[in-house]
Amino acid sequence: MICLGIESTAHTFGISIVSDQKVLSNIITAYKPKSGGLIPGKLADHHVEVLEDTLRKALEKARVNIKNIDLIAFSQGPGIGHALRIGAGLARSLSILLNKPMIGVNHCIAHLEIGRFLTKAKDPVLLYVSGANTQVIAYEAGKYRVFGETLDLGVGNFLDTFARELGLGFPGGPRIEEFARKGKKYIKLPYSVKGMDISLGGMETNLRQKIKEKKHSKSDLCFSIQETVFAMLVEVAERAMAHTDKNELLLGGGVACNKRLQKMCEIMCKERKAELFVLENQFLIDNAAMIAITGIEMFKAGMKTNLKDANIRPYERTDDVDVKWR
Ligand code: AMP
Ligand code: MG
């Protein structure tokens, strides 16, 4: 079975061709604002602009004729409405033109499913850290459940904001990682874990003051922010593993590309004799391969999305979805 996957929840427009869990192509076109945050309308314009080229590249790289596509999978939510609409629209058009079924996929769940299919992980806890999302997700009793999450800001957006204020550029995460490597002194920052959740608002206020005071170097600030925020993430991930009695940790989301975060997770897993799984960067960041892989699994379990239900679900929660394919 050949599936064409479409990802368009936020700044990434992606198309991937997957054949029986083998990724034949995974084209990622990311929108980068020249300054400031993401403006929904501009995001949609970008996705429309790159749509044809991304589709052509994905088919060419996979050496697949569009007529041979058996299934169309698209990210249905959660995400930014303007962006989601472009992907869902393309899915509907292709489904009608090719007369092939389509399936709407939950983006957060897809981050976990791609790990189960591309690594040896069987039943992992997912630490999903991206721009807008920060969640600890695991399978329990028929659903993917959120065991912990951020109460305010997503870690990626937090890093991007902070990097912008320090004048480090966009995207902020990789720039902070670079500066952090040169950091020597740990500056104490508010550490805020509340049960299974984390909160970054207090740290944001505290950091604004520290930047204004100009007492600390950029590298020391970047180093300290990574150490503090990542320790919070590792703590909630470990607590979820302990409560669910699972011994596999999977990373997902753009922030998971960070080598220091990977290292800290590795240490935690080693200490509790658990296994850590880290995908290649192209499968950690937002991508359409994960949408196609999950779509195939759902379809094989008898699920599909009718034209009238192929709307977008900007606010869909991870545990709204009945997992019939596991
Ligand atoms: P996503 O929404 O999953 O595509 O992830 C995008 C986010 O990942 C942005 O906020 C980036 O700043 C962040 N990011 C990308 N690479 C890194 C890195 N090496 N370290 C920390 N954050 C990163
Ligand atoms: Mg994502």
Side-chain angles (χ1 to χ4, degrees):
M1 153 166 282
I2 300 178
C3 178
L4 181 145
I6 304 166
E7 160 58 30
S8 76
T9 52
H11 61 299
T12 297
F13 186 78
I15 297 198
S16 164
I17 311 292
V18 172
S19 167
D20 296 315
Q21 308 303 0
K22 197 164 179 292
V23 180
L24 303 179
S25 66
N26 182 35
I27 308 297
I28 293 168
T29 319
Y31 170 68
K32 282 196 187 85
K34 288 192 180 71
S35 64
L38 299 176
I39 297 163
K42 293 229 168 100
L43 209 54
D45 290 347
H46 166 266
H47 292 357
V48 170
E49 206 173 291
V50 303
L51 190 149
E52 193 186 344
D53 198 44
T54 311
L55 177 61
R56 190 177 38 76
K57 280 185 186 150
L59 290 164
E60 274 176 16
K61 176 113 196 284
R63 295 172 179 272
V64 165
N65 187 309
I66 197 158
K67 289 188 197 120
N68 295 328
I69 300 290
D70 303 304
L71 174 70
I72 297 126
F74 68 103
S75 54
Q76 199 163 16
I80 299 168
H82 289 65
L84 282 167
R85 223 161 260 130
I86 309 303
L90 175 62
R92 286 194 297 266
S93 308
L94 289 176
S95 175
I96 294 168
L97 282 171
L98 302 171
N99 195 23
K100 288 291 150 78
M102 72 181 139
I103 179 98
V105 173
N106 176 287
H107 175 94
C108 306
I109 289 178
H111 271 292
L112 194 146
E113 289 300 17
I114 193 173
R116 287 208 305 135
F117 285 95
L118 294 187
T119 73
K120 291 201 175 75
K122 288 190 184 65
D123 184 21
V125 168
L126 170 72
L127 175 59
Y128 171 37
V129 205
S130 70
N133 298 298
T134 299
Q135 297 187 333
V136 180
I137 302 169
Y139 181 79
E140 256 337 308
K143 286 195 168 180
Y144 281 110
R145 301 186 188 267
V146 179
F147 285 89
E149 64 189 317
T150 177
L151 296 175
D152 38 39
L153 307 157
V155 170
N157 287 351
F158 170 78
L159 295 176
D160 291 339
T161 307
F162 176 64
R164 200 178 301 131
E165 288 186 14
L166 275 178
L168 304 181
F170 181 89
R175 302 286 293 145
I176 287 179
E177 181 171 21
E178 239 176 88
F179 272 78
R181 269 192 231 113
K182 293 175 275 178
K184 288 184 189 74
K185 198 174 113 219
Y186 179 75
I187 304 151
K188 199 164 185 295
L189 294 172
Y191 182 99
S192 182
V193 169
K194 304 183 184 210
M196 307 286 281
D197 301 319
I198 72 163
S199 153
L200 295 168
M203 190 185 297
E204 193 183 35
T205 312
N206 187 287
L207 275 167
R208 285 228 165 86
Q209 274 164 353
K210 289 206 162 72
I211 293 175
K212 240 192 245 158
E213 286 165 14
K214 292 189 174 147
K215 272 201 308 214
H216 306 288
S217 74
K218 288 182 184 178
S219 329
D220 285 343
L221 281 172
C222 290
F223 170 70
S224 308
I225 192 171
Q226 280 201 172
E227 294 304 301
T228 315
V229 176
F230 294 168
M232 285 156 56
L233 292 175
V234 172
E235 180 181 337
V236 290
E238 180 170 24
R239 188 164 299 132
M241 290 168 80
H243 279 313
T244 57
D245 207 14
K246 296 191 196 290
N247 57 8
E248 296 172 333
L249 179 66
L250 175 73
L251 298 184
V255 181
C257 298
N258 189 292
K259 293 284 177 250
R260 179 61 187 150
L261 176 61
Q262 292 178 6
K263 185 75 204 168
M264 288 166 81
C265 290
E266 192 186 305
I267 295 168
M268 179 269 278
C269 285
K270 208 169 166 193
E271 281 178 0
R272 54 185 298 111
K273 298 192 173 56
E275 206 170 342
L276 173 69
F277 296 92
V278 186
L279 296 158
E280 277 174 51
N281 281 3
Q282 63 160 329
F283 300 125
L284 286 176
I285 61 177
D286 284 352
N287 67 89
M290 65 183 194
I291 303 298
I293 284 176
T294 311
I296 291 175
E297 282 314 296
M298 294 171 76
F299 186 74
K300 277 191 191 157
M303 299 171 79
K304 67 176 182 168
T305 304
N306 297 323
L307 200 60
K308 68 171 178 31
D309 300 319
N311 52 352
I312 57 165
R313 299 181 182 164
Y315 303 106
E316 184 172 71
R317 295 270 309 169
T318 306
D319 50 12
D320 283 341
V321 181
D322 277 324
V323 182
K324 296 180 189 148
W325 62 94
R326 266 186 76 151

